[in-house]
Amino acid sequence: DHLCAVCRVSLLPSPALGCPPGLDGITAAFRYNGSARNGVRALKYQNQVRLAPFFADAITLPPSWKIDYVVPVPLHPLKRWLRSYNQSDCIAQELCNRYSLQQKNDLLRRTRFTKSQTTLNGFERAKNVSKAFLASPEVHGHSILLVDDVTTTHSTLLACASALRKAGAVSIYAACATAATHGADHEP
């Protein structure tokens, strides 16, 4: 994994996450601090897409999850254009390779530009992403795995799940590279 001893020591596994209503399961590889935080920031903001396999390899999907399609949390088209890639898409591709799953990026889209969640409290985060996503009718009757780089209050994941349920998805799971405890871990 090419990690130095200092970085390896600062990687802490994510504690088991309580599954919020709206999701059928949630998992994360690492706590969002130390080297995990630095790695996610490098992946997200510094074009270090070479880190996506590292994070994907650390995510363990429960065998009980029956997944039809993997869907990365989408960026707004303008943000995607500005960044030139979607870090969640990079992680999702690696997860699909590892677990032999099918990825479909056209099943969910962000319909409005939202401000960064980093400085918002839980209520503001939920409001910021409320109704910001639209799911394709193609999800009807299928089980979906959402993939994101970091989750704190799960607001983005729940907004995505709401759109997917409205379109008829039967099960929605979430897998994240990192999980932050709002107020305890430093935000991106």
Side-chain angles (χ1 to χ4, degrees), residues 120-137:
L120 305 178
N121 66 34
F123 174 78
E124 293 167 331
R125 285 170 183 244
K127 184 177 176 185
N128 187 42
V129 292
S130 176
K131 299 180 182 170
F133 300 93
L134 181 66
S136 164

Side-chain angles (χ1 to χ4, degrees), residues 84-97:
S84 79
Y85 65 97
N86 176 347
Q87 70 281 354
S88 297
D89 177 40
C90 297
I91 297 168
Q93 288 175 34
E94 297 297 330
L95 267 178
C96 286
N97 290 340

Side-chain angles (χ1 to χ4, degrees), residues 22-23 71-74 108-110 129 133-135 146 148 154-166 172:
L23 292 175
V71 177
V73 170
L108 186 66
R109 65 185 175 92
R110 194 178 290 246
V129 292
F133 300 93
L134 181 66
L146 288 168
D148 207 359
H154 314 312
S155 296
T156 300
L157 295 170
L158 291 172
C160 290
S162 176
L164 290 164
R165 289 241 191 250
K166 187 174 180 182
I172 303 162

